[in-house]
mmCIF file of all heavy atoms in Angstrom:
data_model
loop_
_atom_site.group_PDB
_atom_site.id
_atom_site.type_symbol
_atom_site.label_atom_id
_atom_site.label_comp_id
_atom_site.label_asym_id
_atom_site.label_seq_id
_atom_site.Cartn_x
_atom_site.Cartn_y
_atom_site.Cartn_z
ATOM 1 N N MET A 1 -127.625 74.550 -70.635
ATOM 2 C CA MET A 1 -128.890 75.215 -70.908
ATOM 3 C C MET A 1 -130.031 74.297 -70.603
ATOM 4 O O MET A 1 -131.102 74.792 -70.310
ATOM 5 C CB MET A 1 -128.826 75.581 -72.441
ATOM 6 C CG MET A 1 -130.048 76.267 -73.016
ATOM 7 S SD MET A 1 -130.110 77.871 -72.270
ATOM 8 C CE MET A 1 -131.452 78.497 -72.931
ATOM 9 N N GLY A 2 -129.981 73.060 -70.689
ATOM 10 C CA GLY A 2 -130.961 72.114 -70.530
ATOM 11 C C GLY A 2 -131.423 72.064 -69.010
ATOM 12 O O GLY A 2 -132.542 71.986 -68.690
ATOM 13 N N ARG A 3 -130.368 72.355 -68.124
ATOM 14 C CA ARG A 3 -130.631 72.340 -66.752
ATOM 15 C C ARG A 3 -131.510 73.684 -66.381
ATOM 16 O O ARG A 3 -132.333 73.616 -65.422
ATOM 17 C CB ARG A 3 -129.296 72.313 -65.920
ATOM 18 C CG ARG A 3 -128.693 70.998 -65.991
ATOM 19 C CD ARG A 3 -127.464 70.926 -65.101
ATOM 20 N NE ARG A 3 -126.965 69.589 -64.953
ATOM 21 C CZ ARG A 3 -126.126 69.135 -64.097
ATOM 22 N NH1 ARG A 3 -125.719 69.993 -63.151
ATOM 23 N NH2 ARG A 3 -125.655 67.910 -64.178
ATOM 24 N N VAL A 4 -131.192 74.659 -66.972
ATOM 25 C CA VAL A 4 -131.887 75.960 -66.729
ATOM 26 C C VAL A 4 -133.357 75.824 -67.141
ATOM 27 O O VAL A 4 -134.287 76.246 -66.398
ATOM 28 C CB VAL A 4 -131.221 77.184 -67.503
ATOM 29 C CG1 VAL A 4 -132.110 78.409 -67.293
ATOM 30 C CG2 VAL A 4 -129.886 77.361 -66.883
ATOM 31 N N ILE A 5 -133.499 75.197 -68.276
ATOM 32 C CA ILE A 5 -134.916 74.977 -68.762
ATOM 33 C C ILE A 5 -135.642 74.001 -67.803
ATOM 34 O O ILE A 5 -136.833 74.268 -67.471
ATOM 35 C CB ILE A 5 -134.946 74.517 -70.259
ATOM 36 C CG1 ILE A 5 -134.433 75.516 -71.113
ATOM 37 C CG2 ILE A 5 -136.307 74.021 -70.654
ATOM 38 C CD1 ILE A 5 -134.145 75.156 -72.622
ATOM 39 N N ALA A 6 -134.989 73.003 -67.415
ATOM 40 C CA ALA A 6 -135.598 72.026 -66.458
ATOM 41 C C ALA A 6 -135.980 72.677 -65.198
ATOM 42 O O ALA A 6 -136.974 72.434 -64.566
ATOM 43 C CB ALA A 6 -134.699 70.903 -66.301
ATOM 44 N N ALA A 7 -135.098 73.577 -64.669
ATOM 45 C CA ALA A 7 -135.328 74.258 -63.419
ATOM 46 C C ALA A 7 -136.535 75.116 -63.589
ATOM 47 O O ALA A 7 -137.452 75.268 -62.602
ATOM 48 C CB ALA A 7 -134.162 74.951 -62.836
ATOM 49 N N PHE A 8 -136.560 76.008 -64.540
ATOM 50 C CA PHE A 8 -137.684 76.896 -64.874
ATOM 51 C C PHE A 8 -139.022 76.180 -64.996
ATOM 52 O O PHE A 8 -139.955 76.508 -64.449
ATOM 53 C CB PHE A 8 -137.398 77.775 -66.084
ATOM 54 C CG PHE A 8 -138.449 78.652 -66.519
ATOM 55 C CD1 PHE A 8 -138.695 79.710 -65.710
ATOM 56 C CD2 PHE A 8 -139.401 78.344 -67.423
ATOM 57 C CE1 PHE A 8 -139.705 80.590 -66.052
ATOM 58 C CE2 PHE A 8 -140.400 79.182 -67.844
ATOM 59 C CZ PHE A 8 -140.573 80.331 -67.075
ATOM 60 N N PHE A 9 -138.970 75.046 -65.710
ATOM 61 C CA PHE A 9 -140.173 74.163 -65.920
ATOM 62 C C PHE A 9 -140.619 73.635 -64.673
ATOM 63 O O PHE A 9 -141.792 73.505 -64.379
ATOM 64 C CB PHE A 9 -139.895 73.214 -67.022
ATOM 65 C CG PHE A 9 -141.182 72.467 -67.525
ATOM 66 C CD1 PHE A 9 -142.198 73.112 -68.062
ATOM 67 C CD2 PHE A 9 -141.326 71.115 -67.267
ATOM 68 C CE1 PHE A 9 -143.248 72.357 -68.590
ATOM 69 C CE2 PHE A 9 -142.424 70.459 -67.581
ATOM 70 C CZ PHE A 9 -143.408 71.090 -68.225
ATOM 71 N N SER A 10 -139.681 73.136 -63.812
ATOM 72 C CA SER A 10 -139.965 72.526 -62.490
ATOM 73 C C SER A 10 -140.707 73.656 -61.626
ATOM 74 O O SER A 10 -141.739 73.301 -60.964
ATOM 75 C CB SER A 10 -138.762 72.033 -61.863
ATOM 76 O OG SER A 10 -139.068 71.608 -60.582
ATOM 77 N N ILE A 11 -140.196 74.765 -61.533
ATOM 78 C CA ILE A 11 -140.822 75.896 -60.782
ATOM 79 C C ILE A 11 -142.199 76.263 -61.282
ATOM 80 O O ILE A 11 -143.126 76.429 -60.490
ATOM 81 C CB ILE A 11 -139.833 77.112 -60.727
ATOM 82 C CG1 ILE A 11 -138.522 76.665 -59.899
ATOM 83 C CG2 ILE A 11 -140.635 78.328 -60.125
ATOM 84 C CD1 ILE A 11 -137.502 77.802 -59.939
ATOM 85 N N LEU A 12 -142.287 76.288 -62.685
ATOM 86 C CA LEU A 12 -143.500 76.587 -63.136
ATOM 87 C C LEU A 12 -144.556 75.563 -62.821
ATOM 88 O O LEU A 12 -145.695 75.832 -62.457
ATOM 89 C CB LEU A 12 -143.457 76.659 -64.639
ATOM 90 C CG LEU A 12 -144.763 76.994 -65.499
ATOM 91 C CD1 LEU A 12 -145.171 78.444 -65.163
ATOM 92 C CD2 LEU A 12 -144.479 76.825 -67.006
ATOM 93 N N LEU A 13 -144.185 74.274 -62.915
ATOM 94 C CA LEU A 13 -145.140 73.232 -62.565
ATOM 95 C C LEU A 13 -145.552 73.258 -61.031
ATOM 96 O O LEU A 13 -146.671 72.901 -60.646
ATOM 97 C CB LEU A 13 -144.486 71.810 -62.754
ATOM 98 C CG LEU A 13 -144.463 71.338 -64.216
ATOM 99 C CD1 LEU A 13 -143.740 70.018 -64.287
ATOM 100 C CD2 LEU A 13 -145.801 71.170 -64.811
ATOM 101 N N LEU A 14 -144.590 73.610 -60.216
ATOM 102 C CA LEU A 14 -144.808 73.721 -58.726
ATOM 103 C C LEU A 14 -145.882 74.745 -58.486
ATOM 104 O O LEU A 14 -146.833 74.702 -57.808
ATOM 105 C CB LEU A 14 -143.565 74.010 -57.911
ATOM 106 C CG LEU A 14 -143.727 74.132 -56.493
ATOM 107 C CD1 LEU A 14 -144.036 72.742 -55.949
ATOM 108 C CD2 LEU A 14 -142.355 74.552 -55.930
ATOM 109 N N LEU A 15 -145.748 76.022 -59.225
ATOM 110 C CA LEU A 15 -146.708 77.057 -59.051
ATOM 111 C C LEU A 15 -148.080 76.716 -59.506
ATOM 112 O O LEU A 15 -149.076 76.916 -58.971
ATOM 113 C CB LEU A 15 -146.151 78.301 -59.787
ATOM 114 C CG LEU A 15 -144.901 78.859 -59.141
ATOM 115 C CD1 LEU A 15 -144.417 80.035 -59.999
ATOM 116 C CD2 LEU A 15 -145.228 79.363 -57.677
ATOM 117 N N VAL A 16 -148.124 76.038 -60.582
ATOM 118 C CA VAL A 16 -149.371 75.563 -61.253
ATOM 119 C C VAL A 16 -150.008 74.549 -60.333
ATOM 120 O O VAL A 16 -151.301 74.568 -60.088
ATOM 121 C CB VAL A 16 -149.282 75.079 -62.615
ATOM 122 C CG1 VAL A 16 -150.488 74.356 -63.160
ATOM 123 C CG2 VAL A 16 -148.831 76.066 -63.627
ATOM 124 N N SER A 17 -149.341 73.670 -59.660
ATOM 125 C CA SER A 17 -149.893 72.615 -58.752
ATOM 126 C C SER A 17 -150.457 73.369 -57.537
ATOM 127 O O SER A 17 -151.545 72.985 -57.069
ATOM 128 C CB SER A 17 -148.850 71.575 -58.381
ATOM 129 O OG SER A 17 -147.880 72.189 -57.569
ATOM 130 N N MET A 18 -149.681 74.411 -57.077
ATOM 131 C CA MET A 18 -150.312 75.122 -55.915
ATOM 132 C C MET A 18 -151.569 75.797 -56.257
ATOM 133 O O MET A 18 -152.476 76.000 -55.382
ATOM 134 C CB MET A 18 -149.266 76.051 -55.306
ATOM 135 C CG MET A 18 -148.185 75.338 -54.515
ATOM 136 S SD MET A 18 -147.150 76.484 -53.648
ATOM 137 C CE MET A 18 -145.946 76.968 -54.916
ATOM 138 N N TYR A 19 -151.629 76.413 -57.479
ATOM 139 C CA TYR A 19 -152.933 77.014 -57.913
ATOM 140 C C TYR A 19 -154.006 75.949 -58.027
ATOM 141 O O TYR A 19 -155.122 76.282 -57.592
ATOM 142 C CB TYR A 19 -152.658 77.748 -59.341
ATOM 143 C CG TYR A 19 -153.933 78.248 -59.915
ATOM 144 C CD1 TYR A 19 -154.460 79.379 -59.339
ATOM 145 C CD2 TYR A 19 -154.569 77.552 -60.858
ATOM 146 C CE1 TYR A 19 -155.646 79.924 -59.982
ATOM 147 C CE2 TYR A 19 -155.792 78.043 -61.426
ATOM 148 C CZ TYR A 19 -156.288 79.243 -60.981
ATOM 149 O OH TYR A 19 -157.404 79.738 -61.476
ATOM 150 N N LEU A 20 -153.691 74.789 -58.526
ATOM 151 C CA LEU A 20 -154.790 73.821 -58.541
ATOM 152 C C LEU A 20 -155.274 73.313 -57.223
ATOM 153 O O LEU A 20 -156.406 72.979 -57.051
ATOM 154 C CB LEU A 20 -154.331 72.637 -59.359
ATOM 155 C CG LEU A 20 -154.136 72.757 -60.852
ATOM 156 C CD1 LEU A 20 -153.580 71.486 -61.466
ATOM 157 C CD2 LEU A 20 -155.565 73.046 -61.457
ATOM 158 N N PHE A 21 -154.392 73.360 -56.227
ATOM 159 C CA PHE A 21 -154.784 73.002 -54.862
ATOM 160 C C PHE A 21 -155.893 73.993 -54.403
ATOM 161 O O PHE A 21 -156.925 73.580 -53.830
ATOM 162 C CB PHE A 21 -153.588 72.982 -53.854
ATOM 163 C CG PHE A 21 -152.714 71.847 -54.002
ATOM 164 C CD1 PHE A 21 -151.406 72.048 -53.842
ATOM 165 C CD2 PHE A 21 -153.151 70.661 -54.522
ATOM 166 C CE1 PHE A 21 -150.514 70.987 -53.856
ATOM 167 C CE2 PHE A 21 -152.271 69.570 -54.627
ATOM 168 C CZ PHE A 21 -150.919 69.781 -54.349
ATOM 169 N N GLY A 22 -155.672 75.237 -54.585
ATOM 170 C CA GLY A 22 -156.606 76.240 -54.206
ATOM 171 C C GLY A 22 -157.859 76.267 -55.092
ATOM 172 O O GLY A 22 -158.911 76.487 -54.571
ATOM 173 N N PHE A 23 -157.688 75.986 -56.394
ATOM 174 C CA PHE A 23 -158.812 75.993 -57.191
ATOM 175 C C PHE A 23 -159.696 74.841 -57.045
ATOM 176 O O PHE A 23 -160.991 74.935 -57.374
ATOM 177 C CB PHE A 23 -158.278 76.003 -58.664
ATOM 178 C CG PHE A 23 -159.278 76.128 -59.876
ATOM 179 C CD1 PHE A 23 -159.914 77.336 -59.901
ATOM 180 C CD2 PHE A 23 -159.592 75.145 -60.607
ATOM 181 C CE1 PHE A 23 -161.030 77.537 -60.930
ATOM 182 C CE2 PHE A 23 -160.586 75.224 -61.595
ATOM 183 C CZ PHE A 23 -161.271 76.366 -61.668
ATOM 184 N N ALA A 24 -159.226 73.859 -56.449
ATOM 185 C CA ALA A 24 -160.047 72.552 -56.193
ATOM 186 C C ALA A 24 -161.225 72.923 -55.217
ATOM 187 O O ALA A 24 -162.323 72.295 -55.348
ATOM 188 C CB ALA A 24 -159.274 71.502 -55.621
ATOM 189 N N PHE A 25 -161.095 73.886 -54.453
ATOM 190 C CA PHE A 25 -162.143 74.264 -53.505
ATOM 191 C C PHE A 25 -163.118 75.263 -54.039
ATOM 192 O O PHE A 25 -164.122 75.449 -53.515
ATOM 193 C CB PHE A 25 -161.460 74.847 -52.212
ATOM 194 C CG PHE A 25 -160.686 73.911 -51.455
ATOM 195 C CD1 PHE A 25 -159.375 73.923 -51.448
ATOM 196 C CD2 PHE A 25 -161.336 72.938 -50.606
ATOM 197 C CE1 PHE A 25 -158.681 73.000 -50.707
ATOM 198 C CE2 PHE A 25 -160.703 72.047 -49.846
ATOM 199 C CZ PHE A 25 -159.249 72.097 -49.947
ATOM 200 N N GLN A 26 -162.872 75.699 -55.328
ATOM 201 C CA GLN A 26 -163.805 76.693 -55.921
ATOM 202 C C GLN A 26 -164.652 76.082 -57.020
ATOM 203 O O GLN A 26 -165.697 76.712 -57.425
ATOM 204 C CB GLN A 26 -162.954 77.813 -56.525
ATOM 205 C CG GLN A 26 -162.236 78.630 -55.486
ATOM 206 C CD GLN A 26 -161.240 79.622 -56.223
ATOM 207 O OE1 GLN A 26 -161.309 79.800 -57.425
ATOM 208 N NE2 GLN A 26 -160.546 80.473 -55.416
ATOM 209 N N VAL A 27 -164.311 74.933 -57.487
ATOM 210 C CA VAL A 27 -165.104 74.315 -58.558
ATOM 211 C C VAL A 27 -166.317 73.653 -57.975
ATOM 212 O O VAL A 27 -166.331 73.259 -56.820
ATOM 213 C CB VAL A 27 -164.276 73.276 -59.429
ATOM 214 C CG1 VAL A 27 -163.150 73.988 -60.060
ATOM 215 C CG2 VAL A 27 -163.726 72.182 -58.488
ATOM 216 N N GLU A 28 -167.308 73.503 -58.813
ATOM 217 C CA GLU A 28 -168.595 72.997 -58.364
ATOM 218 C C GLU A 28 -168.553 71.384 -58.265
ATOM 219 O O GLU A 28 -169.059 70.919 -57.320
ATOM 220 C CB GLU A 28 -169.708 73.400 -59.367
ATOM 221 C CG GLU A 28 -170.057 74.857 -59.399
ATOM 222 C CD GLU A 28 -170.541 75.347 -58.040
ATOM 223 O OE1 GLU A 28 -171.309 74.625 -57.396
ATOM 224 O OE2 GLU A 28 -170.303 76.419 -57.600
ATOM 225 N N SER A 29 -168.026 70.780 -59.243
ATOM 226 C CA SER A 29 -167.843 69.377 -59.236
ATOM 227 C C SER A 29 -166.464 68.964 -59.642
ATOM 228 O O SER A 29 -165.800 69.645 -60.405
ATOM 229 C CB SER A 29 -168.956 68.709 -60.120
ATOM 230 O OG SER A 29 -168.658 69.101 -61.433
ATOM 231 N N GLY A 30 -166.024 67.732 -59.274
ATOM 232 C CA GLY A 30 -164.723 67.208 -59.681
ATOM 233 C C GLY A 30 -163.553 67.760 -58.894
ATOM 234 O O GLY A 30 -162.403 67.972 -59.357
ATOM 235 N N GLN A 31 -163.886 68.127 -57.573
ATOM 236 C CA GLN A 31 -162.832 68.698 -56.735
ATOM 237 C C GLN A 31 -161.716 67.747 -56.562
ATOM 238 O O GLN A 31 -160.540 68.048 -56.552
ATOM 239 C CB GLN A 31 -163.333 69.137 -55.330
ATOM 240 C CG GLN A 31 -164.409 70.198 -55.394
ATOM 241 C CD GLN A 31 -165.831 69.683 -55.452
ATOM 242 O OE1 GLN A 31 -166.092 68.475 -55.678
ATOM 243 N NE2 GLN A 31 -166.839 70.507 -55.321
ATOM 244 N N GLY A 32 -162.008 66.394 -56.376
ATOM 245 C CA GLY A 32 -161.042 65.430 -56.231
ATOM 246 C C GLY A 32 -160.083 65.298 -57.373
ATOM 247 O O GLY A 32 -158.817 65.175 -57.257
ATOM 248 N N PHE A 33 -160.573 65.410 -58.609
ATOM 249 C CA PHE A 33 -159.811 65.349 -59.820
ATOM 250 C C PHE A 33 -158.813 66.473 -59.952
ATOM 251 O O PHE A 33 -157.709 66.282 -60.277
ATOM 252 C CB PHE A 33 -160.629 65.219 -61.021
ATOM 253 C CG PHE A 33 -161.450 63.933 -61.102
ATOM 254 C CD1 PHE A 33 -162.879 63.913 -61.115
ATOM 255 C CD2 PHE A 33 -160.790 62.741 -61.206
ATOM 256 C CE1 PHE A 33 -163.533 62.702 -61.240
ATOM 257 C CE2 PHE A 33 -161.448 61.475 -61.239
ATOM 258 C CZ PHE A 33 -162.937 61.521 -61.233
ATOM 259 N N VAL A 34 -159.342 67.647 -59.596
ATOM 260 C CA VAL A 34 -158.460 68.867 -59.672
ATOM 261 C C VAL A 34 -157.382 68.771 -58.657
ATOM 262 O O VAL A 34 -156.243 69.108 -58.873
ATOM 263 C CB VAL A 34 -159.322 70.099 -59.547
ATOM 264 C CG1 VAL A 34 -158.412 71.373 -59.479
ATOM 265 C CG2 VAL A 34 -160.361 70.215 -60.655
ATOM 266 N N PHE A 35 -157.724 68.241 -57.463
ATOM 267 C CA PHE A 35 -156.755 68.218 -56.384
ATOM 268 C C PHE A 35 -155.729 67.201 -56.727
ATOM 269 O O PHE A 35 -154.500 67.302 -56.592
ATOM 270 C CB PHE A 35 -157.472 67.887 -55.062
ATOM 271 C CG PHE A 35 -156.528 68.055 -53.861
ATOM 272 C CD1 PHE A 35 -156.357 69.270 -53.327
ATOM 273 C CD2 PHE A 35 -155.901 66.964 -53.309
ATOM 274 C CE1 PHE A 35 -155.572 69.512 -52.245
ATOM 275 C CE2 PHE A 35 -155.109 67.149 -52.169
ATOM 276 C CZ PHE A 35 -154.885 68.286 -51.662
ATOM 277 N N MET A 36 -156.190 66.018 -57.268
ATOM 278 C CA MET A 36 -155.229 64.991 -57.774
ATOM 279 C C MET A 36 -154.300 65.387 -58.870
ATOM 280 O O MET A 36 -153.214 64.990 -58.879
ATOM 281 C CB MET A 36 -155.994 63.724 -58.063
ATOM 282 C CG MET A 36 -156.642 62.984 -56.870
ATOM 283 S SD MET A 36 -155.513 62.524 -55.727
ATOM 284 C CE MET A 36 -154.884 60.969 -56.386
ATOM 285 N N GLY A 37 -154.819 66.226 -59.690
ATOM 286 C CA GLY A 37 -153.992 66.815 -60.742
ATOM 287 C C GLY A 37 -152.883 67.722 -60.196
ATOM 288 O O GLY A 37 -151.726 67.648 -60.679
ATOM 289 N N GLY A 38 -153.244 68.507 -59.139
ATOM 290 C CA GLY A 38 -152.279 69.246 -58.419
ATOM 291 C C GLY A 38 -151.199 68.414 -57.822
ATOM 292 O O GLY A 38 -150.032 68.665 -57.805
ATOM 293 N N LEU A 39 -151.663 67.295 -57.214
ATOM 294 C CA LEU A 39 -150.664 66.395 -56.647
ATOM 295 C C LEU A 39 -149.725 65.778 -57.656
ATOM 296 O O LEU A 39 -148.480 65.586 -57.392
ATOM 297 C CB LEU A 39 -151.421 65.228 -55.833
ATOM 298 C CG LEU A 39 -152.007 65.530 -54.483
ATOM 299 C CD1 LEU A 39 -152.669 64.372 -53.914
ATOM 300 C CD2 LEU A 39 -150.935 65.988 -53.517
ATOM 301 N N LEU A 40 -150.398 65.407 -58.779
ATOM 302 C CA LEU A 40 -149.557 64.764 -59.883
ATOM 303 C C LEU A 40 -148.512 65.856 -60.398
ATOM 304 O O LEU A 40 -147.278 65.400 -60.573
ATOM 305 C CB LEU A 40 -150.473 64.317 -60.948
ATOM 306 C CG LEU A 40 -149.758 63.738 -62.154
ATOM 307 C CD1 LEU A 40 -149.131 62.404 -61.739
ATOM 308 C CD2 LEU A 40 -150.800 63.354 -63.282
ATOM 309 N N LEU A 41 -148.889 67.050 -60.567
ATOM 310 C CA LEU A 41 -148.023 68.037 -61.168
ATOM 311 C C LEU A 41 -146.956 68.354 -60.135
ATOM 312 O O LEU A 41 -145.789 68.560 -60.396
ATOM 313 C CB LEU A 41 -148.752 69.317 -61.424
ATOM 314 C CG LEU A 41 -149.530 69.287 -62.736
ATOM 315 C CD1 LEU A 41 -150.202 70.654 -62.913
ATOM 316 C CD2 LEU A 41 -148.655 69.021 -63.904
ATOM 317 N N MET A 42 -147.288 68.342 -58.801
ATOM 318 C CA MET A 42 -146.253 68.515 -57.733
ATOM 319 C C MET A 42 -145.256 67.434 -57.650
ATOM 320 O O MET A 42 -144.100 67.616 -57.573
ATOM 321 C CB MET A 42 -146.891 68.806 -56.359
ATOM 322 C CG MET A 42 -145.865 69.157 -55.319
ATOM 323 S SD MET A 42 -146.606 69.645 -53.768
ATOM 324 C CE MET A 42 -146.943 71.303 -54.189
ATOM 325 N N THR A 43 -145.730 66.172 -57.876
ATOM 326 C CA THR A 43 -144.759 65.057 -57.866
ATOM 327 C C THR A 43 -143.924 65.153 -59.147
ATOM 328 O O THR A 43 -142.677 64.914 -58.877
ATOM 329 C CB THR A 43 -145.608 63.765 -58.012
ATOM 330 O OG1 THR A 43 -146.527 63.689 -56.893
ATOM 331 C CG2 THR A 43 -144.789 62.663 -57.933
ATOM 332 N N ILE A 44 -144.455 65.567 -60.287
ATOM 333 C CA ILE A 44 -143.532 65.713 -61.442
ATOM 334 C C ILE A 44 -142.576 66.931 -61.207
ATOM 335 O O ILE A 44 -141.412 66.783 -61.600
ATOM 336 C CB ILE A 44 -144.422 65.911 -62.621
ATOM 337 C CG1 ILE A 44 -145.141 64.685 -62.931
ATOM 338 C CG2 ILE A 44 -143.476 66.287 -63.857
ATOM 339 C CD1 ILE A 44 -146.218 64.862 -64.003
ATOM 340 N N SER A 45 -142.939 67.957 -60.600
ATOM 341 C CA SER A 45 -142.098 69.066 -60.368
ATOM 342 C C SER A 45 -140.966 68.676 -59.442
ATOM 343 O O SER A 45 -139.882 69.338 -59.519
ATOM 344 C CB SER A 45 -142.871 70.258 -59.805
ATOM 345 O OG SER A 45 -143.232 70.124 -58.527
ATOM 346 N N PHE A 46 -141.182 67.809 -58.511
ATOM 347 C CA PHE A 46 -140.052 67.340 -57.644
ATOM 348 C C PHE A 46 -139.192 66.292 -58.390
ATOM 349 O O PHE A 46 -137.997 66.164 -58.092
ATOM 350 C CB PHE A 46 -140.532 66.868 -56.328
ATOM 351 C CG PHE A 46 -140.875 67.943 -55.304
ATOM 352 C CD1 PHE A 46 -142.210 68.145 -54.946
ATOM 353 C CD2 PHE A 46 -139.917 68.874 -54.898
ATOM 354 C CE1 PHE A 46 -142.619 69.204 -54.152
ATOM 355 C CE2 PHE A 46 -140.318 69.845 -54.052
ATOM 356 C CZ PHE A 46 -141.512 70.105 -53.687
ATOM 357 N N PHE A 47 -139.784 65.397 -59.273
ATOM 358 C CA PHE A 47 -139.099 64.285 -59.887
ATOM 359 C C PHE A 47 -138.077 64.851 -60.947
ATOM 360 O O PHE A 47 -137.044 64.423 -61.084
ATOM 361 C CB PHE A 47 -140.109 63.375 -60.475
ATOM 362 C CG PHE A 47 -139.525 62.390 -61.278
ATOM 363 C CD1 PHE A 47 -138.735 61.286 -60.770
ATOM 364 C CD2 PHE A 47 -139.489 62.456 -62.737
ATOM 365 C CE1 PHE A 47 -138.179 60.437 -61.598
ATOM 366 C CE2 PHE A 47 -138.918 61.563 -63.522
ATOM 367 C CZ PHE A 47 -138.211 60.466 -63.036
ATOM 368 N N LEU A 48 -138.596 65.947 -61.627
ATOM 369 C CA LEU A 48 -137.810 66.444 -62.824
ATOM 370 C C LEU A 48 -136.429 66.919 -62.337
ATOM 371 O O LEU A 48 -135.496 66.501 -62.977
ATOM 372 C CB LEU A 48 -138.619 67.620 -63.437
ATOM 373 C CG LEU A 48 -138.026 68.075 -64.762
ATOM 374 C CD1 LEU A 48 -138.090 67.047 -65.775
ATOM 375 C CD2 LEU A 48 -138.856 69.285 -65.230
ATOM 376 N N PRO A 49 -136.241 67.862 -61.393
ATOM 377 C CA PRO A 49 -134.868 68.140 -61.136
ATOM 378 C C PRO A 49 -134.025 67.046 -60.561
ATOM 379 O O PRO A 49 -132.854 67.071 -60.681
ATOM 380 C CB PRO A 49 -135.023 69.273 -60.093
ATOM 381 C CG PRO A 49 -136.459 69.456 -59.804
ATOM 382 C CD PRO A 49 -137.182 68.510 -60.665
ATOM 383 N N ILE A 50 -134.630 66.132 -59.746
ATOM 384 C CA ILE A 50 -133.857 64.957 -59.255
ATOM 385 C C ILE A 50 -133.435 64.217 -60.369
ATOM 386 O O ILE A 50 -132.244 63.725 -60.326
ATOM 387 C CB ILE A 50 -134.791 64.181 -58.317
ATOM 388 C CG1 ILE A 50 -135.049 64.990 -57.038
ATOM 389 C CG2 ILE A 50 -134.110 62.823 -57.921
ATOM 390 C CD1 ILE A 50 -136.032 64.379 -56.075
ATOM 391 N N HIS A 51 -134.203 63.971 -61.370
ATOM 392 C CA HIS A 51 -133.748 63.207 -62.508
ATOM 393 C C HIS A 51 -132.804 63.827 -63.405
ATOM 394 O O HIS A 51 -131.792 63.294 -63.826
ATOM 395 C CB HIS A 51 -135.071 62.797 -63.334
ATOM 396 C CG HIS A 51 -134.763 61.980 -64.542
ATOM 397 N ND1 HIS A 51 -134.387 60.658 -64.403
ATOM 398 C CD2 HIS A 51 -134.783 62.172 -65.822
ATOM 399 C CE1 HIS A 51 -134.199 60.151 -65.564
ATOM 400 N NE2 HIS A 51 -134.446 61.041 -66.495
ATOM 401 N N VAL A 52 -133.027 65.080 -63.687
ATOM 402 C CA VAL A 52 -132.122 65.881 -64.612
ATOM 403 C C VAL A 52 -130.795 66.290 -63.916
ATOM 404 O O VAL A 52 -129.686 66.067 -64.435
ATOM 405 C CB VAL A 52 -132.862 67.169 -65.111
ATOM 406 C CG1 VAL A 52 -131.852 68.048 -65.776
ATOM 407 C CG2 VAL A 52 -133.917 66.820 -65.970
ATOM 408 N N PHE A 53 -130.814 66.819 -62.697
ATOM 409 C CA PHE A 53 -129.660 67.160 -62.026
ATOM 410 C C PHE A 53 -128.882 66.013 -61.384
ATOM 411 O O PHE A 53 -127.761 66.248 -60.961
ATOM 412 C CB PHE A 53 -129.958 68.200 -60.881
ATOM 413 C CG PHE A 53 -130.617 69.468 -61.475
ATOM 414 C CD1 PHE A 53 -131.647 70.062 -60.785
ATOM 415 C CD2 PHE A 53 -130.245 69.949 -62.701
ATOM 416 C CE1 PHE A 53 -132.235 71.270 -61.259
ATOM 417 C CE2 PHE A 53 -130.840 71.111 -63.236
ATOM 418 C CZ PHE A 53 -131.804 71.745 -62.521
ATOM 419 N N GLY A 54 -129.484 64.848 -61.232
ATOM 420 C CA GLY A 54 -128.806 63.722 -60.700
ATOM 421 C C GLY A 54 -127.741 63.094 -61.628
ATOM 422 O O GLY A 54 -126.895 62.403 -61.084
ATOM 423 N N LYS A 55 -127.871 63.361 -62.905
ATOM 424 C CA LYS A 55 -126.934 62.831 -63.845
ATOM 425 C C LYS A 55 -125.674 63.651 -63.814
ATOM 426 O O LYS A 55 -125.776 64.823 -63.774
ATOM 427 C CB LYS A 55 -127.557 62.867 -65.268
ATOM 428 C CG LYS A 55 -128.755 61.956 -65.316
ATOM 429 C CD LYS A 55 -129.374 61.992 -66.846
ATOM 430 C CE LYS A 55 -130.524 61.181 -66.902
ATOM 431 N NZ LYS A 55 -131.169 61.275 -68.261
ATOM 432 N N LYS A 56 -124.656 62.986 -63.993
ATOM 433 C CA LYS A 56 -123.240 63.648 -63.911
ATOM 434 C C LYS A 56 -122.608 63.485 -65.267
ATOM 435 O O LYS A 56 -122.805 62.760 -66.068
ATOM 436 C CB LYS A 56 -122.354 63.154 -62.829
ATOM 437 C CG LYS A 56 -122.992 63.482 -61.431
ATOM 438 C CD LYS A 56 -121.950 63.252 -60.414
ATOM 439 C CE LYS A 56 -122.643 63.666 -59.176
ATOM 440 N NZ LYS A 56 -121.808 64.048 -58.056
#
């Protein structure tokens, strides 16, 4: 059950990060911070399944 939750959460983080990438071009100020937030979320979304599914 934990793996299903981790996979769902990882996909959710990936979708939110892609939304932040596009949203960074729409905000008036702080575009770099929004874009970096998207990069951070994408990194976590790839790290989570590797860490959770890598354990045997």
Side-chain angles (χ1 to χ4, degrees):
M1 183 68 181
R3 289 184 173 196
V4 173
I5 294 172
F8 177 75
F9 189 65
S10 175
I11 292 170
L12 181 67
L13 284 177
L14 184 66
L15 292 174
V16 170
S17 70
M18 286 190 277
Y19 173 75
L20 285 177
F21 288 148
F23 186 67
F25 293 102
Q26 297 175 359
V27 295
E28 293 295 322
S29 63
Q31 296 93 352
F33 292 117
V34 175
F35 194 83
M36 290 300 283
L39 284 177
L40 181 65
L41 284 181
M42 184 169 280
T43 303
I44 292 170
S45 75
F46 283 114
F47 171 75
L48 187 64
I50 292 171
H51 181 70
V52 171
F53 299 143
K55 297 179 182 178
K56 293 194 179 201

